[in-house]
Amino acid sequence: METVVGNFWKNKTVFLTGHTGFKGAWLSLWLTKLGAKVVGYSLNPPTDPSLYSLCKLDQLYHSIIGDIRDLEKLTKSIIDYRPEVVIHMAAQPLVRYSYSNPIETYTTNVMGTVNLFEAIRKSNSVKAVVNVTTDKCYENNEWHWGYREQDALGGFDPYSNSKACSELVTSAYRNSYFHLNDYTSHGVAIATARAGNVIGGGDWALDRLIPDCMSSLLKDETILIRNPQSIRPWQHVLEPLNGYLMLAQKLFEFGPEFAQAWNFGPEDDDVNTVKYIVEQMCFKWNGKINYKIDDAPQPHEATYLKLDCSKAKALIGWKPIWNLDKALDSIIEWNKEYKAGIDPGKICLDQIGLFEQEKSK
């Protein structure tokens, strides 16, 4: 199987938006390990503590604290640093938060995408762009088979809908300014990536299942969960990041052939309920199942969601490496090591190394 390990990323300048977030911190660490020249562009870390701060990532690469909605600053940054690859992860990423803050959600997730493409239009260095959206961008029909990339976009809540809009913005810019038929003249290949529910060590986001679980487990408190029967495509954070890296490399090397939408999700066996995840986390932490269900009224969230990733497997050579059990083990190990005082950057790099080893088998 093809891997991202090797010389492709060495000395490549990568412009990574959202680098101070949970996924961004993991990805920037991995890119730095691969020898890339990372330029991060993002707001300050969204949580305290944050993986970005704990790993002192601002000392590893050039970090620009800026708003994706600031077109002038964003454009200047891209022109000044001349990236060859852009991976766009800056977003308002939370469903429940989007109900209370729809304007922030739409301006960040939709106009932020518009701003990025406007900045890229003024650049003469960018060759490959991956816009990271979400598995929730599909019109959810609560069916029991995985969504394919050609299925209808939609989104019930402001977050999910804004990410569907980001997909449409990407398509419009690709058709209008970076058309596949004109690739030889503009030289820019653009794709979107739709990942499942991402989990991993170092996540402190509000209203997210794994951080809520770990917060309670560390304090030996009862875990409060919503929607215990909701089914999600859970996957370790390194799984979609591996997909983004492989996709970006394909875009860089082959251009229009890969300039489309791609799903990155787990195998069907790892699509499971919230209740299952919580029980496994409790068992793996201390062997005690300790949770209760929050029966207060909750805003709408999809009940059943899974992805069909056949296209990425067949055409990119991507496939999941760690199953759900291994992913949960890695989170428990991460938090126990962090609690023991081990440097979070070392914990992440060790897990990246293990992931790379298993991927290369």
Side-chain angles (χ1 to χ4, degrees), residues 22 33 52-53 89 105 115 142-144 150 157 173 181-182 191 202 218 240-241 264 278 301 306 343:
F22 163 62
K33 180 178 185 291
Y52 170 82
S53 298
M89 296 202 300
T105 300
N115 287 345
E142 303 288 357
W143 55 38
H144 291 264
Q150 69 267 30
D157 56 89
Y173 268 80
N181 293 340
D182 301 325
L218 286 163
L241 299 187
F264 298 105
V278 173
E301 293 190 51
K306 64 190 286 191
D343 176 60

Side-chain angles (χ1 to χ4, degrees), residues 78-79 81-85 123-128 252:
I78 288 179
I79 291 174
Y81 287 95
R82 298 184 53 77
E84 299 151 280
V85 177
S123 164
N124 59 10
S125 65
V126 176
K127 290 190 64 176
F252 189 94

Side-chain angles (χ1 to χ4, degrees), residues 35-54:
K37 299 175 181 176
V38 177
V39 178
Y41 185 97
S42 182
L43 297 173
N44 284 309
T47 62
D48 185 15
S50 73
L51 190 59
Y52 170 82
S53 298
L54 290 171

Side-chain angles (χ1 to χ4, degrees), residues 9-40:
W9 291 98
K10 188 172 180 59
N11 293 322
K12 288 284 188 307
T13 302
V14 181
F15 194 86
L16 175 62
T17 73
H19 69 292
T20 62
F22 163 62
K23 288 173 71 177
W26 274 96
L27 182 55
S28 57
L29 266 174
W30 198 352
L31 281 166
T32 303
K33 180 178 185 291
L34 292 170
K37 299 175 181 176
V38 177
V39 178

Side-chain angles (χ1 to χ4, degrees), residues 150-345:
Q150 69 267 30
D151 284 332
L153 299 174
F156 183 99
D157 56 89
Y159 165 73
S160 304
N161 185 265
S162 70
K163 283 297 195 174
C165 292
S166 180
E167 288 275 352
L168 293 172
V169 166
T170 305
S171 177
Y173 268 80
R174 185 167 49 221
N175 289 334
S176 301
Y177 307 107
F178 306 105
H179 199 281
L180 307 186
N181 293 340
D182 301 325
Y183 179 73
T184 53
S185 62
H186 60 71
V188 181
I190 300 169
T192 57
R194 306 161 182 177
N197 277 48
V198 175
I199 57 177
D203 188 3
W204 283 277
L206 294 173
D207 290 328
R208 197 174 276 169
L209 182 61
I210 295 297
D212 288 349
C213 284
M214 287 312 313
S215 176
S216 297
L217 290 171
L218 286 163
K219 299 172 186 173
D220 198 25
E221 296 175 349
T222 299
I223 301 169
L224 188 65
I225 64 172
R226 310 178 302 271
N227 308 316
Q229 298 307 318
S230 289
I231 295 172
R232 295 286 184 271
W234 311 98
Q235 59 185 162
H236 191 273
V237 62
L238 294 177
E239 304 288 358
L241 299 187
N242 180 37
Y244 307 160
L245 293 176
M246 294 180 73
L247 174 57
Q249 182 172 342
K250 292 290 190 183
L251 290 166
F252 189 94
E253 294 176 339
F254 300 103
E257 187 178 343
F258 293 88
Q260 51 191 285
W262 301 87
N263 285 343
F264 298 105
E267 303 289 6
D268 285 355
D269 290 347
D270 290 331
V271 177
N272 224 312
T273 64
V274 167
K275 180 174 179 286
Y276 176 86
I277 298 294
V278 173
E279 290 178 347
Q280 288 297 305
M281 288 290 288
C282 289
F283 179 77
K284 291 174 182 293
W285 183 256
N286 58 17
K288 299 187 299 184
I289 308 298
N290 183 21
Y291 70 89
K292 67 179 181 179
I293 297 169
D294 183 356
D295 54 9
Q298 304 291 339
H300 174 274
E301 293 190 51
T303 301
Y304 198 98
L305 182 58
K306 64 190 286 191
L307 296 173
D308 183 326
C309 303
S310 302
K311 189 170 81 166
K313 292 176 182 178
L315 301 181
I316 298 180
W318 175 89
K319 69 176 182 180
I321 305 301
W322 285 352
N323 63 20
L324 180 56
D325 188 59
K326 173 61 178 175
L328 295 176
D329 282 342
S330 76
I331 296 169
I332 296 298
E333 291 165 9
W334 196 102
N335 281 279
K336 286 187 174 180
E337 290 184 9
Y338 174 62
K339 185 180 180 183
I342 297 176
D343 176 60

Side-chain angles (χ1 to χ4, degrees), residues 346-360:
K346 181 182 185 306
I347 303 172
C348 291
L349 288 171
D350 286 347
Q351 293 196 350
I352 290 170
L354 289 172
F355 185 89
E356 289 178 332
Q357 289 176 18
E358 295 185 33
K359 183 159 58 85
S360 64

